[in-house]
């Protein structure tokens, strides 16, 4: 057992945990913070995305012991006094969720994007969400929601998929 | 799925980490960012007795200059590599290729050192460091040793690191003035490269004076397209580049999987090498 | 959008783009997924699965697992066999179908990689996972059965040796003239073979089940990530022998299904059996890669399709011969999936002859069953693909060849060659609108220009004019198809004393937004605020009667039941209002929830006041019961037939085989729309899944029968950058088979998009001589097709 101290959504917890305990299971099974779901075992789906010291991380691919001394923000820590954040509101208004299982991860990934790039294009949004799978929405309304939360309307220009969120020129897709 | 049980240590120095690794023999795994190791553990494809978490060892994270060489700490995350001004200035190929690795959340946690030590030929960064003529610095019980990238990748998921060694930094010669491009071909944004080509090109008088081409997923290790590199010297336009790139798959042994056959991979290596070199040379 | 007159009354709510009621809990992490449920004393179940596709089990020793820390129990298949019956197949499609026994856990033989062989029960999920590794199993390998056609050979190794054959059934249908006769007089016949690859449904929430027993009374509550709590209750009672009235099944928040949770799974029965054995609450949650083996797959067919037509492109006949992969066992509706498709091959077209035959085949792979569309996408794919081939053969535009054959708007209602009566539709309107939004002529011009200059990046245009049968289903039709249950749906409305409303529905949503839509319907009919309506679902205790959610049935059948129940509430309230207002019922007007007397508007009673009057029963008319609540069970008189025209433009890089969707336009006609935002979302999600079949996804097996695409790292579910923005629009021709005029939308996008995309890929390459690319159209397959055609 390893002793850890983790601040989750503003509350500090101390626990003795097995080193192999995944952060996602620590949140869900130990702390009862079930707002963060788990959707895969290969870090592909992103449903379990949280913020670890302010940066998005897939909590199924982080050991709880790695979060020792860190601050974790989950989807349950976003709304204050029942007031949804702009992103949560936008997901609601743009119908950016159906079954909702991917939604916590989508919101955390989108927060990460908007911190670094407050006015992304629609393709930058798609690119930033590449690590989060949704099976219901076809992503279009999720993209709309993120754009709306950034104060933009839907309908940005044609594809410019070769830019990373940082503005770095990269090649993500092969074009002739 | 759920990782098997293991002991856990979080050393605070390289020396302590090396000692722990040495004591554990073959039974330890190094944990840096965990983005390769955690899925392996969860699928129970690895059963270490001890996991040595080096993630908090000071001094292994960040980028500095050492004369004509860029020194990147093994724990520098992908996120940091992409944004680092020194990397972007002197090793733009690495920044560009790193931006294609996995997704933003994984790039926050995953490290350059971890990606290289994992030695997955389908990973993007081994071929890039190979093309950059990088060197990898390992710390072991006998001290430090420097391994050229050409000797570092030994076999599938197998590096030249011995079980008691820790990768601590990556040294790449500054590629100032070289054009570069990483051409990644994958079926969906999340999937591994079917083939990737890392190209570096130095031009003189409108010709390619020197070219280095690293290949992702064309064998059990990352490879250099040596025949193509030789043939590219002197190329002065798209046609000579295409002819030179037609040798890109020589000496490779690409594998078969659900996404591609060896024959198709060899074809892609040629086409993507042509594209990557043309783009890197500004001839595209 | 074409606004036409809609059936029923138009209110403030129906048709309104309401943001969803469901969202608040989903956006804030306050959801109740099954795996979130924690119960005092709960134990965790883990399942050991066969690593082999086919083998005799010679030994299972669970004793070593019991030595592991935290382990309370472990069971082999033999240990549990006595208390567990066979998992059910509710759709034996023919009288002589081969119906093998399907134990929830294998006893003496495993028949697919992933077949359960032992279970362990431990204090937490980690201990349970560890203990699995201690269970010892010896296998005696048997030959895998993987090739659908070879499996039918006389000397083929058998999946179920006691049955003597791998042929599960042969199901024929022949209507109109004989195909041979129309082939005689046809100017052109075309025969093609298409492959429907196996798909893994990939609902984002993995399956999970929690069982809490109450030993004293022999009652069990089963929480399951299921689409079908009502059906599950009946079936689990049968499988476990626990009396139905002692079983309560709850589908809490369920994270998507797409057919994969329309099932009675072995793990549900096992959890129940173990909870009964130990008297303790038990939880099982699948991991994703475990689910790839253990949760049913979809599709998996070889389709031989032949058309006969005139020189002018008029269809004379259609012949379809299917071989369908059942997998190792028949699950809930496995054999019926291709049969649902049988009626859809003629699609929107008129013809004189239709012959269909489906042969179901057992293989040593994960069982197949419903996956979004269930039989209809496969049918639509084959007919829409061959319509393009016919167009190419005759030198006609693919849209034109469809125009020459489809049922014209003035011909509705129209009984198709397959015997379905399409009540309404307007293929002309949807197609014209789609062509205009798409810029069809401009794209064709660009395509010609690219072809003429030999551009290595080709443009392809694909069209798909589809229809589907939704609103499952008229019970008598189901009887004729030998389906084991009816197709009705139930709803009741409870008017609470304070004027609030509870709508109880037998549908079981898992992302569709029934809470919002049913509230809109009820609010309109009752004239109460949307916010005052609560929808109860997914719990056999609060919603005792239902047929659940699948097959785009919920709105057309379940929504209709809500509508009728609400209408009855108003009728009952009217009697009370008339009494209280001392007027005749005919003199009452009902508007916005208020009864008033015609001509004296000050004499009013709201429906909420009447609910309270009914509650007190102080002044109700004689002989009137003190309740205005109502319940309806609706059995649909017909299916509903959404349709639409989908157009896809792709760029195909001939040098590498890379395909990029450049634009996608669809105009769907789903009848009257209750909530346009939800309809659009359903279309988007459907398109993503259909496109994924065309380009990305496939459950790949190796020669030994191992699932190669065994995790999300290998099975390519597209993410946001892999898909384009879709342009969606609608036409609206109301269904006539229900008062709401609705048709259903859950599967439309999936059904229509797959052929649109593949038609576009083939269209791009046709000038090079390519006539087909097998799905998924991977870069390598496209590259090979080009290479072989140009060699």
């Amino acid at each position: 057992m390893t002793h850890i101290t983790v601040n989750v959504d503003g509350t500090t917890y101390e626990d003795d945990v097995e080193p192999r305990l995944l952060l996602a299971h620590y949140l869900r099974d130990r702390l009862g913070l079930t707002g963060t779901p788990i959707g895969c075992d290969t870090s592909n789906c992103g449903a379990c995305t949280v913020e670890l010291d302010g940066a998005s991380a897939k909590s199924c691919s982080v050991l709880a012991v790695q979060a020792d001394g860190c601050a974790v923000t989950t989807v349950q820590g976003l709304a204050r006094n029942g007031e949804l954040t702009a992103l949560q509101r936008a997901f609601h208004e743009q119908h950016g969720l159906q079954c909702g299982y991917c939604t916590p991860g989508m919101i955390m990934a989108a927060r990460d994007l908007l911190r670094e790039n407050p006015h992304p294009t629609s393709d930058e949004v798609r690119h930033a969400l590449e690590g989060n799978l949704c099976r219901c929405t076809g992503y279009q309304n999720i993209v709309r929601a993120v754009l709306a939360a950034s104060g933009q309307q839907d309908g940005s220009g044609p594809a410019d998929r070769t830019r990373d969120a940082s503005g770095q020129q990269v090649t993500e897709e092969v074009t002739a | 799925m759920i990782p098997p049980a293991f002991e856990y240590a979080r050393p605070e120095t390289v020396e302590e980490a090396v000692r722990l690794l040495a004591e554990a023999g073959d039974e330890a795994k190094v944990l840096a960012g965990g983005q390769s190791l955690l899925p392996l553990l969860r699928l129970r494809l690895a059963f270490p007795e001890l996991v040595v978490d080096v993630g908090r060892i000071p001094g292994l994270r960040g980028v500095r200059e050492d004369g004509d060489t860029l020194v990147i700490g093994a724990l520098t995350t992908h996120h940091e590599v992409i944004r680092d001004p020194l990397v972007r200035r002197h090793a733009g190929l690495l920044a560009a290729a790193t931006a294609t690795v996995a997704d933003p959340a994984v790039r926050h946690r995953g490290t350059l050192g971890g990606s290289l030590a994992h030695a997955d030929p389908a990973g993007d960064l081994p071929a890039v460091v190979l093309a950059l003529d990088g060197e990898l610095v390992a710390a072991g019980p006998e001290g430090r040793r420097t391994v050229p990238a050409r000797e570092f990748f030994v076999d599938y998921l197998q590096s030249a690191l011995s079980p008691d060694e820790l990768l601590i930094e990556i040294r790449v010669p500054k590629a100032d003035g070289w054009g570069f491009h990483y051409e990644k071909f994958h079926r969906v944004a999340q999937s591994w490269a079917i083939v990737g080509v890392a190209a570096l090109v130095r031009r003189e008088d409108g010709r390619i004076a020197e070219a280095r081409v690293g290949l992702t997923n064309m064998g059990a290790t990352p490879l250099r397209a040596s025949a193509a590199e030789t043939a590219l010297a002197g190329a002065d336009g798209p046609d000579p580049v295409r002819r030179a790139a037609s040798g890109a798959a020589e000496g490779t042994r690409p594998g078969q999987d659900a996404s591609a056959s060896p024959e198709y991979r060899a074809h892609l290596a040629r086409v993507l090498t042509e594209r990557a070199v043309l783009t890197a040379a500004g001839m595209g | 959008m074409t606004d036409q007159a809609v059936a029923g009354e138009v209110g403030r709510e129906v048709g309104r783009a309401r943001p969803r009621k469901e969202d608040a809990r989903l956006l804030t992490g306050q959801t109740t997924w099954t795996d979130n449920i924690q119960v005092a004393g709960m134990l965790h179940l883990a399942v050991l699965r066969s690593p082999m596709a086919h083998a005799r089990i010679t030994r299972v020793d669970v004793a070593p697992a019991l030595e592991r820390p935290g382990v309370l129990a472990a069971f082999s298949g033999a240990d549990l066999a006595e208390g567990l019956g066979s998992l059910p197949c509710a759709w034996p499609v023919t009288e002589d179908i081969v119906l093998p026994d399907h134990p929830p856990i294998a006893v003496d033989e495993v028949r697919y990689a992933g077949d359960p062989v032992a279970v362990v029960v431990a204090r937490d999920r980690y201990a349970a996972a560890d203990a699995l590794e201690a269970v010892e199993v010896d296998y005696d390998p048997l030959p895998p059965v993987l090739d659908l056609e070879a499996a039918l050979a006389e000397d083929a190794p058998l999946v179920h040796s006691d049955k003597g054959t791998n042929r599960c059934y042969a199901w024929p249908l022949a209507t109109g003239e004989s195909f041979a006769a129309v082939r005689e007089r046809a100017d052109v016949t075309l025969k093609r073979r298409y492959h429907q690859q196996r798909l893994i449904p990939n609902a984002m929430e993995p399956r999970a089940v929690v069982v809490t027993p109450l030993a004293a009374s022999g009652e069990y509550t089963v929480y399951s990530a299921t689409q079908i709590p009502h059906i599950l209750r009946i079936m689990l009672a049968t499988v476990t022998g626990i009396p139905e009235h002692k079983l309560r099944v709850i589908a809490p928040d369920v994270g998507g299904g797409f057919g994969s949770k329309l099932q009675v799974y072995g793990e549900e029965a096992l959890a129940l059996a173990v909870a009964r054995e130990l008297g303790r609450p038990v939880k099982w949650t699948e991991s994703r890669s475990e689910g790839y083996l253990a949760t049913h797959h979809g599709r998996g067919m070889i389709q031989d399709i032949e058309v006969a037509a005139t020189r002018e492109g008029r269809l004379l006949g259609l012949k379809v011969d299917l071989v369908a992969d059942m997998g190792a066992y028949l699950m809930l509706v496995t054999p019926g999936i291709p049969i649902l498709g049988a009626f859809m091959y003629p699609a929107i077209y008129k013809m004189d002859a239709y012959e269909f035959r489906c042969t179901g085949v057992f293989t040593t792979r994960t069982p197949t069953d419903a996956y979004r569309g269930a039989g209809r996408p496969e049918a639509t794919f084959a007919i829409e693909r061959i319509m393009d081939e016919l167009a190419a053969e005759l030198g006609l535009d693919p849209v034109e060849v469809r125009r020459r054959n489809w049922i014209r708007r003035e011909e509705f209602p129209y009984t198709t060659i397959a015997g379905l009566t399409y009540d309404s539709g307007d293929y002309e309107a949807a197609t014209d609108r789609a062509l205009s939004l798409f810029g069809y002529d401009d794209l064709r011009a660009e395509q010609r220009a690219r072809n003429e200059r030999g551009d290595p990046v080709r443009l392809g245009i694909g069209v798909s004019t589809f229809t589907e049968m939704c609103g499952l289903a008229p019970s008598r039709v189901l009887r004729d198809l030998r389906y084991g249950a009816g197709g009705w749906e139930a709803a009741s409305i409870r008017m609470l004393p304070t004027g609030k409303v509870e709508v109880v529905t037998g549908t079981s949503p898992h992302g569709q937004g029934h809470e919002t839509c049913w509230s809109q319907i009820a609010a309109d009919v009752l004239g109460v605020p949307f916010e005052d309506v609560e929808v109860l679902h997914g719990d056999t205790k609060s919603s005792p009667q239902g047929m659940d959610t699948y097959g785009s049935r919920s709105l057309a059948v379940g929504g209709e039941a809500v509508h009728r129940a609400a209408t009855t509430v108003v009728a009952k309230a009217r009697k009370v209002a008339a009494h209280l207002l001392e007027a005749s019922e005919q003199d009452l007007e009902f508007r916005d929830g208020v009864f008033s007397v015609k001509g004296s508007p000050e004499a009013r009673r709201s429906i909420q006041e009447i609910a309270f009057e009914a509650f007190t029963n102080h002044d109700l008319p004689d002989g009137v019961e003190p309740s205005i609540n109502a319940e309806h069970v609706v059995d649909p008189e017909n299916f509903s037939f959404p349709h639409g025209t989908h157009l896809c433009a792709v760029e195909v890089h001939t040098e590498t085989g890379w395909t990029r969707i450049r634009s996608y336009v669809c105009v769907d006609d789903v009848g009257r729309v209750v909530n346009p935002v939800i309809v659009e979302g359903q279309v988007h999600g459907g398109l993503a899944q259909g496109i994924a079949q065309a380009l990305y996804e496939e459950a790949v097996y190796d020669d030994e029968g191992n699932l190669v695409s065994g995790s999300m790292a290998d099975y390519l579910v597209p993410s946001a950058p892999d898909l384009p923005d879709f342009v969606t629009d609608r036409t609206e021709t109301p269904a006539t088979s229900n008062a709401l005029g609705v048709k259903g939308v859950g599967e439309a996008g999936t059904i229509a998009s797959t052929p649109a995309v593949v038609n576009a890929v083939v269209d791009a390459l046709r000038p090079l001589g390519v006539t087909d690319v097998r799905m998924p159209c991977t870069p390598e397959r496209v590259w090979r097709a080009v290479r072989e055609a140009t060699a």
Side-chain angles (χ1 to χ4, degrees), chain B residues 127-275:
Chain B
V128 168
V129 171
L130 190 63
L132 284 164
D133 276 341
E135 296 178 323
L136 297 96
V137 180
E142 315 298 322
R144 301 188 171 193
R145 67 176 179 123
T146 300
V147 186
R150 281 177 183 275
E151 295 166 22
F152 185 78
F153 303 105
V154 175
D155 205 343
Y156 181 71
L157 300 184
Q158 199 182 327
S159 77
L161 293 171
S162 59
D164 55 3
E165 282 184 312
L166 180 68
L167 178 61
I168 57 171
E169 63 189 32
I170 295 90
R171 301 172 66 89
V172 291
K174 290 181 180 173
D176 298 8
W178 288 65
F180 63 85
H181 188 70
Y182 185 63
E183 188 81 20
K184 180 173 183 172
F185 194 93
H186 49 171
R187 288 181 53 201
V188 296
Q190 286 216 337
S191 58
W192 297 96
I194 294 177
V195 175
V197 174
L200 280 166
V201 173
R202 187 169 60 76
R203 290 181 68 175
E204 274 173 18
D205 307 326
R207 291 165 178 276
I208 291 173
E210 196 181 344
R212 300 198 214 128
V213 178
L215 301 175
T216 296
N217 217 3
M218 286 297 290
T221 65
L223 296 169
R224 286 280 286 267
S226 307
E229 290 180 357
T230 308
L232 280 164
D236 58 357
D239 287 338
V241 167
R242 179 179 308 118
R243 282 195 296 276
S246 68
E250 275 179 36
T252 63
R253 293 187 64 188
Q256 166 86 48
D257 60 28
S259 280
S261 68
E263 185 191 16
Y264 179 59
R265 283 200 160 90
H267 168 76
L268 282 181
R270 293 187 280 268
V271 174
L272 304 181
T273 296
E274 178 191 342
R275 288 181 186 174

Side-chain angles (χ1 to χ4, degrees), chain C residues 607-773:
Chain C
I607 196 161
Q608 291 94 338
E609 290 171 315
I610 291 165
F612 188 75
E613 288 293 341
F615 166 70
T616 63
N617 196 19
H618 290 174
D619 187 18
L620 262 51
D622 290 341
V624 169
E625 63 171 355
S627 165
I628 57 171
N629 296 348
E631 180 168 345
H632 264 274
V633 180
V634 170
D635 204 311
E637 61 186 59
N638 190 3
F639 297 93
S640 56
F641 301 97
H643 70 84
T645 297
H646 288 225
L647 291 163
C648 176
V650 298
E651 289 176 2
V652 182
H653 297 239
T654 54
E655 204 174 16
T656 58
W658 174 260
T659 298
R660 182 180 86 90
I661 294 181
R662 189 162 108 181
S663 62
Y664 196 101
V665 168
C666 60
V667 177
D668 284 285
D669 192 325
V670 298
R672 188 180 182 187
V673 168
V674 173
N675 187 323
V677 173
I678 287 178
V679 164
E680 188 191 34
Q682 287 288 320
V683 171
H684 287 169
L687 293 177
Q689 287 182 27
I691 290 168
Q693 175 172 14
L695 296 179
Y696 303 125
E697 297 181 9
E698 180 169 21
V700 179
Y701 282 81
D702 68 13
D703 294 343
E704 306 293 312
N706 301 302
L707 180 63
V708 177
S709 45
S711 79
M712 265 192 177
D714 305 299
Y715 186 91
L716 304 186
V717 176
S719 71
D722 304 311
L723 294 168
D725 271 336
F726 309 114
V727 176
T728 63
D729 202 356
R730 283 185 279 109
T731 56
E732 212 169 292
T733 52
T736 63
S737 52
N738 60 70
L740 280 169
V742 299
K743 296 179 180 175
V745 70
E747 296 157 303
T750 305
I751 293 171
S753 58
T754 310
V757 174
V758 177
N759 278 342
V761 171
V762 175
D763 183 62
L765 303 177
R766 198 180 296 280
L768 302 171
V770 173
T771 56
D772 193 29
V773 180

Side-chain angles (χ1 to χ4, degrees), chain C residues 135-318:
Chain C
V135 177
E136 294 172 12
V137 187
D138 293 335
Y139 298 98
D140 192 357
L142 293 167
V145 180
L146 300 165
D147 184 291
L148 290 183
E149 291 172 307
L152 293 171
E154 280 295 313
D155 55 348
L158 296 175
V159 180
H160 298 276
S161 52
D162 57 323
K163 300 298 182 189
T165 177
N166 291 319
R167 184 189 310 268
C168 173
Y169 67 85
W171 192 96
L173 176 72
T175 59
E177 298 179 50
S178 83
F179 185 81
V182 299
R183 183 161 44 194
E184 284 296 309
R185 67 171 193 268
D187 299 314
V188 53
T189 59
L190 287 179
K191 190 171 181 185
R192 293 287 184 272
R193 165 166 284 205
Y194 297 121
H195 294 264
Q196 294 286 329
Q197 78 270 34
R198 266 182 179 251
L199 298 177
I200 300 179
N202 274 297
M204 287 312 300
E205 182 205 14
R207 287 193 295 119
V209 56
V210 171
V211 177
T212 60
L214 188 59
S217 55
E219 292 174 65
Y220 298 85
T221 301
V222 178
Y223 302 84
S224 184
T226 182
Q227 297 173 224
I228 53 160
H230 299 93
I231 295 170
L232 185 60
R233 182 193 192 201
I234 300 162
M235 294 302 183
L236 285 178
T238 314
V239 174
T240 63
I242 295 168
E244 186 181 349
H245 64 294
K246 298 289 189 183
L247 269 178
R248 174 186 183 186
V249 177
I250 299 174
D253 284 318
V254 176
F258 315 111
S260 71
K261 295 170 183 172
L262 161 53
Q263 195 52 275
V264 177
Y265 279 108
E267 295 85 1
E268 291 165 325
L270 288 170
L272 198 44
V274 167
R276 173 171 62 186
E277 186 78 22
L278 303 180
R280 295 273 297 267
V282 170
K283 176 191 280 186
W284 172 80
T285 302
E286 79 179 359
S287 75
R288 178 64 59 183
S289 47
E290 181 183 23
Y292 275 18
L293 301 170
T295 295
H296 73 241
H297 294 176
R299 317 284 191 260
M301 288 180 198
I302 299 171
Q303 305 171 294
D304 287 317
I305 179 166
E306 188 173 1
V307 289
T310 66
R311 189 170 298 111
E312 294 72 34
R314 194 174 83 73
L315 283 178
L316 298 173
L318 174 66

